[in-house]
């Protein structure tokens, strides 16, 4: 049985570190249950949030890591710098691919670096609106997943994949449960084909998950949780999403 997981991706929110600490405390207060829960605050808020969540069941993730161990990479954060603060990181989010130029090659290097630093990784994959309309979802997933998993090997226990169709992120227009289930099956086919234990690797759905839309995904075949953006910024709303997966 794969343990269900809900991760709140706070992106560039909330406005201050004090707000991040309040949100973290509210998330911890609202959480009772069997589902694993994590929050991914902006880097600068991670130490304060980690401190606020010490002793709680809520894990802290980063939103990205750099692919090199250290060096002349102005503005970047190395995986080793998260030690003692975060247990995992999101990698390959479509907003990072869009805004910071990450491609499959870079995402693959980041995933390996994070896994080598003993972090869990939520690898984000998913097609654009145009690719969706041209029925290219399977081809995109095949390319994005294959580029990364080839060298994951014995660290696969710490790999989680989030299927996030770009057209569903922040639009209030989630994918259907059927589309998400089909994508999860495709992802597992590629994992299997690459020799990984596909049935043990969690696949999350992300893109306009809210307390209203979550029911579809909580019941979708092969979906083991959610990566939640906007709705993770309200503790009660986030708790309702977590509850739906319980
Ligand atoms: P959303 O974002 O829930 O606001 O659509 C999800 C994500 O980008 O991870």
């Amino acid at each position: 049985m794969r343990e269900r997981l809900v991760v709140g991706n706070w992106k560039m929110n909330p406005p201050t570190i004090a707000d991040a600490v309040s949100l973290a405390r509210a998330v911890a207060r609202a959480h009772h249950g069997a589902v694993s829960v994590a929050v991914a605050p902006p880097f600068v808020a991670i130490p304060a949030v980690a401190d606020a969540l010490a002793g709680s069941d809520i894990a802290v993730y980063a939103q990205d890591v750099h692919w090199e161990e250290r060096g002349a990479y102005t503005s970047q954060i190395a995986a080793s710098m998260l030690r003692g603060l975060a247990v995992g990181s999101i990698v390959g989010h479509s907003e990072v691919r869009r805004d910071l130029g990450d491609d499959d090659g870079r995402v693959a290097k980041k995933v390996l670096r994070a896994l080598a630093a003993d972090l869990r990784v939520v690898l984000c994959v998913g097609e654009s609106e145009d690719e969706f309309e041209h029925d290219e979802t399977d081809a995109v997933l095949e390319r994005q997943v294959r580029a990364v998993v080839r060298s994951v090997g014995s660290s696969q226990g710490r790999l989680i994949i989030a299927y996030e169709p770009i057209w569903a992120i922040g639009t209030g227009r989630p994918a259907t449960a059927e589309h998400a289930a089909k994508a999860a099956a495709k992802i597992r086919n590629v994992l299997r084909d690459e020799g990984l234990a596909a049935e043990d690797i969690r696949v999350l759905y992300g893109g306009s998950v809210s307390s209203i839309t979550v029911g579809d995904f909580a019941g979708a075949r092969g979906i083991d949780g959610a990566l939640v953006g906007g709705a993770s910024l309200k503790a009660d709303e986030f708790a309702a999403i977590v509850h739906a997966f319980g």
Side-chain angles (χ1 to χ4, degrees), residues 5-242:
L5 169 69
V6 177
V7 181
N9 174 12
W10 291 358
K11 308 191 180 186
M12 199 169 72
N13 298 292
T16 68
I17 293 173
D19 293 329
V21 167
S22 302
L23 178 57
R25 292 212 173 103
V27 168
R29 269 196 309 272
H31 177 59
H32 328 268
V35 182
S36 297
V37 176
V39 294
F43 282 123
V44 73
I46 288 180
V49 167
D51 199 39
L53 293 177
S56 80
D57 288 339
I58 317 286
V60 177
Y61 277 53
Q63 297 177 12
D64 197 13
V65 291
H66 196 265
W67 62 88
E68 292 293 350
E69 239 174 323
R70 64 184 57 81
Y73 301 99
T74 301
S75 88
Q76 300 296 303
I77 302 290
S80 65
M81 294 169 188
L82 298 171
R83 199 162 297 140
L85 296 173
V87 297
S89 182
I90 297 168
V91 177
H93 192 281
S94 59
E95 287 154 10
V96 181
R97 295 182 195 247
R98 179 196 67 198
D99 297 338
L100 301 175
D102 273 15
D103 56 14
D104 288 336
R106 235 194 235 182
V107 170
K109 287 195 285 180
K110 286 181 168 188
V111 168
L112 292 185
R113 184 64 69 192
L115 290 172
D118 281 336
L119 294 168
R120 295 174 186 278
V121 168
V122 176
L123 163 67
C124 299
V125 295
E127 80 283 7
S128 67
E129 176 130 50
D130 192 55
E131 291 161 337
F132 174 65
E133 274 163 11
H134 288 88
D135 209 13
E136 289 165 7
T137 303
D138 276 6
V140 171
L141 295 177
E142 169 110 30
R143 192 194 75 228
Q144 291 181 332
V145 175
R146 226 180 262 290
V148 168
V149 301
R150 195 150 285 168
S151 344
V152 162
S154 61
S155 303
Q156 61 181 291
R158 281 183 279 112
L159 179 68
I160 299 145
I161 300 190
Y163 169 59
E164 294 209 310
I166 297 169
W167 50 271
I169 296 176
T171 58
R173 189 162 61 92
T176 62
E178 193 193 346
H179 181 74
K182 230 175 124 246
K186 174 66 190 175
I187 288 166
R188 288 209 170 84
N189 274 340
V190 180
L191 294 173
R192 211 171 288 118
D193 198 48
E194 290 289 341
L196 301 190
E199 297 313 316
D200 297 336
I201 295 178
R202 286 175 285 187
V203 177
L204 315 182
Y205 168 77
S208 295
V209 176
S210 69
S211 59
I212 312 281
T213 63
V214 65
D216 286 352
F217 303 106
R221 203 180 165 76
I223 298 290
D224 307 306
L227 180 57
V228 186
S232 71
L233 299 173
K234 293 187 200 109
D236 291 348
E237 175 76 4
F238 188 58
I241 292 167
V242 172

